[in-house]
Amino acid sequence: MAKEKSAKKKDDWTKTLTRVFVVIILISCVLGFSLTLGFFSIFKSAADGSGIVVSYTIRDDSGVAVLSSDDTVIQNEVLIAGASQPLQMVIGQNYTDFIVPIEVYMYPNGWNTYAFFEPELTTIADEAKGMHEGDAKTVLFPFGETMTREMTAEQYGLIGGNYSETAVGMWIPLGFAPQPEVVLDNETAPETVATRMSKIIAKDNNTLTVQYGYASADITINQLI
């Protein structure tokens, strides 16, 4: 009888060990599968149709940071426009409007609608092809230097500016309608107007030349979706 009980206990113990072993094997398989997926995700690169989350810093032709979602830049550089969340986009997507509004925190006014341009977003997406998560690069906007507008002293006054106080190198806010179109007075302003910081690059007795295009973007791929 004692032998039967001993044999039964041994059999129960063997079954318990077998269950524990099976559980350990299953956990190992799950962990191994997850690690394998993580390992192979290193080699995944952005391509047409890829969803990407991009941290960025927009700069002018002198390297000044205009707009950024990069925490390091936000903490250590003076931003002309403000800070925003990283961009989320799909490589190859088509934008129906030239102006693509995003939300930007502009001190001291708080959150505002900011004018991003379709060529800027398209260039960032195109240049992201082949990049992996964590990769970083500088993307050039060669079209930025052509994005200028002349404004008379009267027109500048219509948007609340004081012409006598302006100087080359100053940044001023301009309002852009979706067409795009610089909004010069409240009477013709459409319902949707996005702000964009623009730099005065020339001035004479009655005319300002304002550049609203930017030179480049420093980008980092935060995530591939």
Side-chain angles (χ1 to χ4, degrees):
M1 188 72 175
K3 288 183 178 180
E4 289 180 1
K5 289 182 178 180
S6 177
K8 187 175 184 302
K9 287 182 179 179
K10 185 177 181 180
D11 185 55
D12 290 342
W13 180 244
T14 300
K15 290 179 179 178
T16 300
L17 286 176
T18 300
R19 293 191 187 100
V20 170
F21 181 72
V22 170
V23 171
I24 291 173
I25 292 296
L26 288 173
I27 292 174
S28 298
C29 288
V30 171
L31 287 175
F33 183 68
S34 299
L35 290 173
T36 299
L37 287 178
F39 176 76
F40 282 109
S41 68
I42 297 174
F43 301 101
K44 183 180 178 182
S45 61
D48 281 327
S50 296
I52 55 176
V53 179
V54 183
S55 179
Y56 71 95
T57 299
I58 302 295
R59 297 187 182 275
D60 75 351
D61 52 10
S62 65
V64 170
V66 179
L67 184 67
S68 183
S69 68
D70 187 305
D71 288 340
T72 301
V73 174
I74 293 170
Q75 293 172 18
N76 295 288
E77 299 187 41
V78 177
L79 300 176
I80 298 300
S84 79
Q85 296 296 319
L87 299 172
Q88 298 186 36
M89 59 181 69
V90 176
I91 295 177
Q93 77 178 89
N94 294 318
Y95 296 94
T96 56
D97 295 318
F98 187 86
I99 301 294
V100 181
I102 64 169
E103 292 302 305
V104 171
Y105 185 86
M106 303 175 68
Y107 180 83
N109 299 320
W111 290 96
N112 288 277
T113 302
Y114 200 83
F116 236 110
F117 292 155
E118 177 273 331
E120 294 168 338
L121 292 173
T122 299
T123 300
I124 289 173
D126 287 344
E127 290 292 324
K129 292 179 184 178
M131 296 179 69
H132 306 85
E133 288 187 3
D135 284 354
K137 70 187 298 186
T138 296
V139 176
L140 301 179
F141 299 145
F143 46 80
E145 63 182 11
T146 67
M147 293 180 172
T148 62
R149 177 186 175 88
E150 290 191 347
M151 300 174 64
T152 64
E154 181 182 2
Q155 289 173 329
Y156 187 59
L158 289 174
I159 61 173
N162 186 328
Y163 193 83
S164 63
E165 295 180 355
T166 60
V168 172
M170 280 182 56
W171 289 85
I172 62 174
L174 293 182
F176 286 84
Q179 282 72 14
E181 174 183 326
V182 179
V183 179
L184 296 177
D185 61 74
N186 292 330
E187 293 182 1
T188 60
E191 293 183 4
T192 303
V193 177
T195 299
R196 186 172 171 100
M197 294 303 293
S198 309
K199 185 167 64 173
I200 298 173
I201 60 173
K203 177 185 179 180
D204 61 23
N205 291 334
N206 189 58
T207 305
L208 295 176
T209 301
V210 182
Q211 184 173 39
Y212 54 88
Y214 304 139
S216 65
D218 300 330
I219 65 171
T220 301
I221 303 299
N222 289 355
Q223 185 179 2
L224 290 174
I225 303 172

